[in-house]
């Protein structure tokens, strides 16, 4: 399939102050789209000026929530080149998410080609300041107008991109996390491991209530026993107890994060004791009380590594790493970011220069 490119006639003004980008506020001049129908497969791939979509009010995504998405970034390297980081893994995951909600898969090579074309067309938008990047949001929605419940027969896949700054307004300062004991995010057999809209709708109220109490995010426990650590908002979660680095196993209820996978890989490479295992929150409390909880941090594309300085569970505050960024958190952050921004060689084969 050939991607038809219709460049925008009038280009937008790009943000002058890269320190004020924030996250998810700005989109570029163009977007990629392609359509799907059961009888035809994917067709009409095109890059067009960024504009609102026209969809039928009966489009099935608006009623039954067939949607999957991804989040990844393009980085401007030290050499002014444009780099992607493990981008293929995002499309592999997109397809897995799609299958879970009865949506069609995309051809990974083709989707990558389309994304690269879009990023390079809008390459002036890839910001240069430290910590900034071009966020890439692939999205797939069910567009068939139909009000009966069943998988749709037509879909739209699109990619939008926009420059972003640091994810949290606290920057790399440790965040306060609220351990959620009222709501649950995902149960075994549900949608937890798919990047699909329902998971985020399910999490909003808990996040809002936590924010009102002064927390940045909630930490989810397992839906059955409300005991085992799962993940945080849009990040996977790691704890360092003594010399063991622990993260929840991919059991079906948490998102298989690519940053999570990087941390596991690097920690093992560094010879650390890295465990993917069930971790009861009582064990975390015990470790915190006896001074053995060394660090806690979240991982995700948006924030990379987000150190946790305080965890609050049933009204008790547990301070982690004296409320500062831990040594391992900092080392992991530096390592991953240096690879993403081509500031050092990439021994893992994760980086790809596209322009
Ligand atoms: C996207 C996401 C993550 C992080 O995944 P990365 O691939 O590391 O960006 C973790 N948890 C949830 C719920 C997510 O949506």
């Amino acid at each position: 399939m050939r991607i038809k490119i219709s460049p925008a006639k009038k280009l937008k003004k790009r943000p002058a102050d890269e320190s004020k980008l924030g996250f998810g506020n700005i989109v570029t001049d163009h977007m990629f789209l392609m359509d799907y129908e059961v009888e035809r497969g994917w067709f009409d791939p095109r890059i067009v000026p960024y504009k609102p979509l026209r969809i039928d009010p009966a489009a099935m995504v608006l009623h039954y929530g067939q949607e999957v998405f991804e989040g990844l970034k393009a980085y401007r390297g030290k050499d002014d080149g444009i780099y992607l980081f493990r981008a293929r893994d995002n499309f592999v995951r997109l397809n897995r998410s799609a299958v879970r909600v009865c949506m069609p898969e995309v051809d990974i090579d083709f989707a990558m080609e389309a994304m690269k074309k879009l990023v390079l067309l809008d390459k002036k938008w890839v910001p240069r300041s430290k910590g900034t990047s071009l966020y890439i949001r692939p999205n797939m929605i069910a567009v068939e107008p139909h009000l009966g419940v069943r998988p749709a027969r037509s879909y739209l896949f699109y990619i939008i991109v926009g420059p972003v700054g640091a994810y949290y307004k606290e920057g790399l300062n440790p965040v306060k996390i609220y351990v959620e004991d009222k709501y649950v995010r995902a149960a075994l057999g549900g949608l937890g491991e798919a990047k699909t809209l329902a998971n985020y709708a399910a999490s909003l109220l808990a996040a809002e209530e936590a924010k009102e109490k002064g927390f940045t995010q909630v930490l989810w426990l397992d839906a059955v026993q409300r005991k085992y650590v799962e993940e945080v908002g849009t990040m996977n979660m790691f704890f360092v107890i003594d010399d063991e680095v622990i993260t929840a196993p991919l059991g079906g209820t948490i998102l298989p994060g690519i940053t999570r996978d990087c941390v596991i890989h690097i920690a093992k490479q560094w010879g650390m004791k890295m465990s993917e295992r069930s971790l009861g929150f009582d064990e975390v409390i015990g470790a915190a009380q006896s001074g053995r909880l060394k660090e806690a941090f979240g991982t995700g594309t948006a924030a990379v590594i987000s150190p946790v300085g305080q965890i609050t569970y049933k009204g008790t505050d547990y301070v982690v790493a004296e409320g500062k960024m831990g040594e391992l958190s900092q080392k992991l952050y530096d390592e991953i970011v240096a690879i993403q921004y081509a500031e050092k060689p990439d021994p893992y084969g994760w980086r790809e220069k596209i322009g």
Side-chain angles (χ1 to χ4, degrees), residues 93 185 195 200 231 233-236 255 257-259 299-301:
R93 187 170 68 190
R185 174 183 175 273
K195 228 170 163 73
Y200 306 86
E231 62 179 322
T234 53
M235 294 189 292
N236 295 108
L255 212 283
I258 294 163
T259 321
T299 66
T301 296

Side-chain angles (χ1 to χ4, degrees), residues 335 338-339 342-348 351:
E335 173 81 354
I339 294 170
E343 283 160 7
K344 63 182 281 186
D346 170 18
Y348 311 104
R351 185 167 74 210

Side-chain angles (χ1 to χ4, degrees), residues 13 19 53 100 117 127 144 163 187 238 265 284 289 317 325 354:
K13 225 174 134 231
S19 71
L53 301 173
R100 179 62 184 84
K117 279 213 159 79
E144 184 195 350
F238 287 73
H265 201 87
V284 176
Q289 285 168 339
D317 299 338
M325 183 158 189
I354 62 164

Side-chain angles (χ1 to χ4, degrees), residues 73-331:
K73 287 172 169 177
Y75 307 86
R76 191 175 290 275
K78 232 171 73 172
D79 60 352
D80 214 37
I82 311 281
Y83 292 87
L84 296 175
F85 182 76
R86 302 191 64 172
R88 202 184 170 78
D89 294 341
N90 287 93
F91 288 97
V92 169
R93 187 170 68 190
L94 179 85
N95 277 348
R96 279 207 204 107
S97 300
V99 167
R100 179 62 184 84
V101 288
C102 298
M103 299 177 80
E105 294 175 78
V106 295
D107 181 288
I108 291 174
D109 290 320
F110 186 74
M112 292 272 293
E113 181 196 330
M115 174 183 66
K116 288 177 194 174
K117 279 213 159 79
L118 174 64
V119 169
L120 292 179
L121 184 64
D122 282 347
K123 134 185 186 171
K124 287 206 178 95
W125 288 84
V126 184
R128 288 193 160 73
S129 323
K130 200 152 181 72
T132 64
S133 55
L134 187 77
Y135 187 73
I136 304 169
R137 169 54 59 88
N139 200 4
M140 194 198 297
I141 57 174
V143 292
E144 184 195 350
H146 178 75
L147 294 179
V149 180
R150 59 159 169 75
R153 295 198 189 100
S154 53
Y155 297 89
L156 174 68
F157 173 72
Y158 63 92
I159 305 175
I160 56 176
V161 299
V164 298
Y167 189 64
Y168 290 109
K169 62 176 187 304
E170 292 96 334
L172 263 180
N173 294 330
V175 296
K176 285 190 196 173
I177 301 281
Y178 180 80
V179 183
E180 182 56 58
D181 55 5
K182 184 160 85 178
Y183 305 110
V184 296
R185 174 183 175 273
L188 199 56
L191 298 175
E193 64 185 345
K195 228 170 163 73
T196 183
L197 86 196
N199 287 325
Y200 306 86
S203 72
L204 289 177
L205 186 57
E208 282 304 291
E209 291 183 8
K211 255 174 221 152
E212 267 166 38
K213 296 179 202 136
F215 297 92
T216 314
Q217 284 280 2
V218 303
L219 171 68
W220 298 104
L221 299 177
D222 76 281
V224 179
Q225 298 186 55
R226 309 286 176 97
K227 173 176 173 178
Y228 295 102
V229 170
E230 298 242 300
E231 62 179 322
V232 172
T234 53
M235 294 189 292
N236 295 108
M237 194 62 209
F238 287 73
F239 292 88
V240 185
I241 298 179
D242 293 325
D243 62 351
E244 184 186 14
V245 186
I246 309 161
T247 194
L250 299 179
T253 55
I254 65 168
L255 212 283
I258 294 163
T259 321
R260 172 188 180 278
D261 190 69
C262 291
V263 166
I264 292 172
H265 201 87
I266 293 171
K268 285 183 180 163
Q269 200 71 25
W270 286 350
M272 309 194 69
K273 185 173 171 202
M274 178 67 239
S275 310
E276 290 176 69
R277 66 166 176 91
S278 298
L279 174 64
F281 200 74
D282 49 350
E283 190 182 336
V284 176
I285 293 174
Q289 285 168 339
S290 58
R292 292 161 47 242
L293 176 62
K294 300 290 191 287
E295 299 184 33
F297 57 89
T299 66
T301 296
V304 191
I305 301 285
S306 185
V308 173
Q310 183 193 310
I311 307 178
T312 297
Y313 180 62
K314 292 193 191 292
T316 307
D317 299 338
Y318 300 93
V319 175
V320 188
E322 297 166 346
K324 300 198 200 78
M325 183 158 189
E327 198 184 318
L328 179 64
S329 310
Q330 184 72 57
K331 248 181 94 184

